[in-house]
Amino acid sequence: MVSRALPWYLQLYGVVLIGWSSGKTYALVVAAVMLGTAGLVLLARRVPELLAGIVATIGVLLVWPYIQDRFLTPIIPIVGLAVAYAAQRALVLLPRAARGTVLAVAALVGLVVLQSNLRSRHDAVTHGTTSKFALESAEIAEWIRSNTRPDERILANEGAALFLRTGRRTATPDPEEPALSITPVERPLGFFAKRLLADPADLFVLWDFMPGASRDWMIRLSQQCPGLLVRVPADSTAGSSSAIHYFHLHTDLPCLTQIAGGLPPIVPRQPDVTPP
C-alpha cells in the first residue's frame, strides 16, 4: 500500500497546496518535502512531540487503504512550519549580503504568487459566467434536460450540480469511500463493474474538462465489455462542444457480471463505439 500511496500523495500535495498539478508544482513539492524533513530533524530535540506526531500521521496515511487529498490538510501546515524553521536556520549561517539576496528573492516570489492569486480571484468574479467551465457545464445541463427522461439516472462528474440544474438523479463515477478496502486501487475494473451492477445508471457523461480519476478505468471497462458504453449519435448532440461525450449505459451484460466477480470476460471481439 505504501508503494501506491506515496506517489499519489506527492502528486496531490501540489494540488492541495497550489490548486493544480504540473512539473513546477512537483518541483516545489520535492523542495518542500526536503526542507520539511530537514526542519523536522532540527526540531526533534526542541519539540520531540511534533516530530512524533507528524511521523505517526504520515505513517497512517501511507498504510491507510484509501487515498484522499483532504487527508493532507492536517500535515501541510506542520510541514510548512518545519520548512520555515529549516530556512531560518540556514539563513543564519549565510553572510549578510547573501541573506539579503535570498530574502529579496523570496519576497519577489511571494509577490508573484499573490498577484497570480488575486488575478485568478478577480477573473473568477468578473468572467465566471463566460469561463469554459461555466459554459460547458451549462451545455451539459441543457442537453440532459432536453434529451433524457425525468426518471433516468446520470453518471457524471459534478453530479450534485447537475442534479440541482436538471432534477435528474445523478451519481459520480469517481470512487468515494464505500468501504475500507484497497479494491479501487488493486482491481479498479472489478470495483467499477460491481458499482454499476449495484447502482446502475442510464447515461454516462464524459467531460474532457473534468475527466476525473475514473476516465481511464471506464474506458478500459468498456473495451473489455463491449456494449457497455454506446455513444449517443452525433446528430443528437448537434452544436455541442467536442469536449463533451454522451454514452448510453447498458449494465445487463454477462461480461460485466464476470468482471465484477473477478473472472475474465468471455465475449467475442467486435467493433464498437468506445470513448475517445
Side-chain angles (χ1 to χ4, degrees):
M1 190 62 199
V2 174
S3 62
R4 299 187 187 95
L6 186 58
W8 273 99
Y9 278 122
L10 287 176
Q11 180 180 356
L12 292 173
Y13 191 105
V15 176
V16 175
L17 188 64
I18 300 175
W20 66 86
S21 178
S22 68
K24 294 179 181 179
T25 57
Y26 190 79
L28 179 63
V29 167
V30 172
V33 170
M34 294 176 62
L35 284 174
T37 302
L40 289 171
V41 172
L42 293 173
L43 284 167
R45 290 187 178 181
R46 297 188 60 180
V47 193
E49 299 84 359
L50 179 66
L51 178 62
I54 195 68
V55 168
T57 304
I58 293 175
V60 170
L61 290 189
L62 292 180
V63 300
W64 197 251
Y66 207 86
I67 300 170
Q68 284 286 314
D69 55 359
R70 64 176 178 270
F71 294 164
L72 291 173
T73 51
I75 294 178
I76 289 178
I78 305 302
V79 174
L81 177 64
V83 168
Y85 185 75
Q88 186 271 335
R89 290 290 299 270
L91 285 174
V92 171
L93 302 177
L94 294 177
R96 178 173 297 180
R99 192 185 314 164
T101 302
V102 171
L103 290 175
V105 171
L108 179 62
V109 171
L111 288 175
V112 170
V113 173
L114 179 61
Q115 181 186 18
S116 176
N117 185 276
L118 292 174
R119 184 173 62 250
S120 298
R121 291 177 180 273
H122 177 268
D123 291 344
V125 173
T126 57
H127 305 295
T129 57
T130 59
S131 68
K132 179 180 178 66
F133 173 83
L135 292 175
E136 292 190 355
S137 60
E139 179 182 317
I140 293 173
E142 178 59 31
W143 189 93
I144 289 175
R145 282 194 297 264
S146 303
N147 294 274
T148 62
R149 301 187 309 272
D151 60 341
E152 287 188 304
R153 197 156 188 262
I154 314 300
L155 188 65
N157 282 312
E158 299 295 314
L162 286 177
F163 168 75
L164 293 174
R165 302 179 77 166
T166 66
R168 306 296 193 268
R169 294 175 301 154
T170 58
T172 176
D174 286 350
E176 296 296 335
E177 296 182 47
L180 296 180
S181 169
I182 60 174
T183 302
V185 178
E186 283 192 334
R187 293 184 55 243
L189 299 190
F191 173 80
F192 270 90
K194 286 184 177 180
R195 281 197 59 196
L196 291 175
L197 290 171
D199 194 17
D202 302 289
L203 185 79
F204 173 55
V205 180
L206 180 58
W207 186 11
D208 293 343
F209 186 73
M210 295 190 66
S214 61
R215 172 194 169 97
D216 293 340
W217 293 340
M218 287 293 288
I219 292 176
R220 287 171 54 197
L221 187 60
S222 69
Q223 292 170 344
Q224 292 196 23
C225 190
L228 174 66
L229 296 180
V230 178
R231 186 189 293 272
V232 175
D235 57 353
S236 298
T237 59
S240 66
S241 169
S242 60
I244 306 170
H245 316 276
Y246 304 94
F247 300 89
H248 291 303
L249 263 170
H250 299 280
T251 57
D252 55 342
L253 301 172
C255 54
L256 195 64
T257 304
Q258 290 176 326
I259 295 174
L263 300 175
I266 305 174
V267 293
R269 297 189 64 85
Q270 58 186 24
D272 195 6
V273 180
T274 54

